Amino acid sequence: MNSHIPIIDLSSMLGDCLTERQAIAAEVDRSAKEVGFMYITNCGIAPETVSAVMETARRFFQKEPAAKSLYPFDQELNFGYHGLGTEALDPNKPADQKETFTMRNVFNLQSQENLWPSHRFHQVASDFFADCQRLADRLMGAFALALELPEDYFTNKHTGILQTLRLLHYPPAKVESAGQLGAGAHTDYGTLTLLFQDKSGGLEVQDSIGNWIPAPPVDNAVVINTGDLLARWTNDVYRSTPHRVQVRPADATNGRLSIAFFSDPDPEVLVETLPSCVSEESPSKYPPISANDHILEKIAATN
């Protein structure tokens, strides 16, 4: 089923050859236009690094509820622990059956040790945040090339202030309500998302005619999807595709772990339709909006 979602070898984006980077950019561009999702291999992050972050997440989520609640979610910082049933990405469905630990603007919060469950957790998460930033920069460089923009057009607007790393755990459901999902159907708010999955599966992507297509784990591959702000920047030339996570059944041996990195622009960045995406036949659909206003509106709608 994952044949619906392209698999792209990103290794040439790491090199100095512009022609090779443009070839990768064309693949990324086509995937963003047709699907809004893609798998990326040879992304520059070692599988062992991803495994270490997964293990750090597993150890945290295995703690007793009282221990996890010592790090409550701070709405203003967008940082901390969210327990089961505290978020509904689809407000028309029961609350999501997942728990999360969210970390935004990591490098400007380095001195606030009280936010972190442990020094080791802090170190592993911070290092991985930096890895994800570098990967997001490479992908945004590919999008810029495809859109005939300077290669650093997007990267200069994403310095980390609104970039977010999120650990997610979907435990087996004790009780399933009608329409219950691990994560309700939604689109992502920002420019792009990197998703690292364990072997459990459950992610589904909506195709252009409304069918839900499984997006199972692919060995050593990262799932990439384009978000609402990149769709807005491109006048919907790029898709922001609805996706969801199926609930883990009560008889499942283990829960599901995943790690998401949301690359959103700095707060003051004004998102305006790119001139190359506007024509007489396709006038701009959206007024300008600051990244901060857009993201805050979206977050508020899920709480």
Side-chain angles (χ1 to χ4, degrees):
M1 293 296 285
N2 67 351
S3 60
H4 292 80
I5 301 175
I7 301 176
I8 301 172
D9 184 335
L10 200 68
S11 54
S12 295
M13 279 303 296
L14 311 180
D16 297 326
C17 178
L18 177 59
T19 301
E20 291 182 353
R21 296 202 305 277
Q22 287 172 327
I24 298 299
E27 291 188 64
V28 168
D29 178 72
R30 183 167 53 252
S31 298
K33 288 175 177 175
E34 296 177 358
V35 186
F37 270 77
M38 63 199 85
Y39 292 98
I40 296 295
T41 61
N42 294 315
C43 69
I45 301 177
E48 296 80 9
T49 298
V50 178
S51 295
V53 184
M54 287 284 188
E55 182 59 28
T56 297
R58 182 175 293 107
R59 289 176 182 172
F60 175 78
F61 290 124
Q62 285 175 344
K63 293 179 181 289
E64 294 297 322
K68 291 181 285 191
S69 68
L70 295 174
Y71 308 94
F73 183 75
D74 184 310
Q75 179 94 25
E76 183 176 352
L77 295 178
N78 196 21
F79 201 108
Y81 174 69
H82 252 142
L84 286 172
T86 56
E87 184 178 61
L89 290 173
D90 183 346
N92 297 315
K93 300 288 186 182
D96 297 347
Q97 285 300 294
K98 68 177 187 294
E99 55 180 342
T100 64
F101 195 96
T102 302
M103 297 154 279
R104 188 179 71 185
N105 196 17
V106 162
F107 296 115
N108 286 330
L109 297 174
Q110 289 284 49
S111 63
Q112 298 189 38
E113 285 291 342
N114 60 302
L115 295 173
W116 303 89
S118 70
H119 177 74
R120 173 66 177 164
F121 187 111
H122 186 174
Q123 182 181 37
V124 169
S126 297
D127 289 348
F128 194 66
F129 191 100
D131 288 337
C132 290
Q133 281 186 310
R134 286 189 287 271
L135 174 53
D137 283 351
R138 292 175 186 128
L139 287 161
M140 288 187 288
F143 287 126
L145 283 174
L147 294 164
E148 300 180 348
L149 296 165
E151 204 164 348
D152 63 357
Y153 180 86
F154 293 113
T155 59
N156 287 340
K157 297 171 174 61
H158 297 70
T159 67
I161 299 172
L162 287 184
Q163 289 178 311
T164 302
L165 181 66
R166 199 174 209 200
L167 312 179
L168 302 104
H169 176 229
Y170 302 83
K174 295 179 180 178
V175 178
E176 287 188 44
S177 305
Q180 182 73 69
L181 290 164
H186 65 286
T187 57
D188 288 347
Y189 311 151
T191 304
L192 59 86
T193 302
L194 321 178
L195 182 70
F196 304 81
Q197 305 187 76
D198 70 4
K199 302 293 187 182
S200 301
L203 176 65
E204 296 180 338
V205 174
Q206 192 172 53
D207 68 15
S208 59
I209 59 174
N211 297 317
W212 288 101
I213 306 300
V218 172
D219 286 346
N220 300 326
V222 187
V223 179
I224 309 295
N225 64 282
T226 44
D228 296 344
L229 276 182
L230 193 54
R232 188 170 183 139
W233 246 318
T234 61
N235 210 31
D236 289 335
V237 171
Y238 289 168
R239 295 186 63 192
S240 184
T241 301
H243 50 286
R244 66 188 186 184
V245 177
Q246 287 293 343
V247 70
R248 298 293 294 158
D251 60 357
T253 304
N254 297 305
R256 174 182 186 262
L257 280 174
S258 63
I259 308 163
F261 181 81
F262 303 100
S263 189
D264 302 340
D266 293 352
E268 72 281 0
V269 170
L270 193 65
V271 177
E272 300 181 89
T273 308
L274 296 168
S276 63
C277 298
V278 178
S279 65
E280 288 188 11
E281 297 77 23
S282 182
S284 178
K285 301 176 183 179
Y286 303 105
I289 189 171
S290 74
N292 188 64
D293 287 348
H294 171 82
I295 298 297
L296 288 178
E297 287 176 6
K298 292 288 186 176
I299 292 173
T302 67
N303 291 296

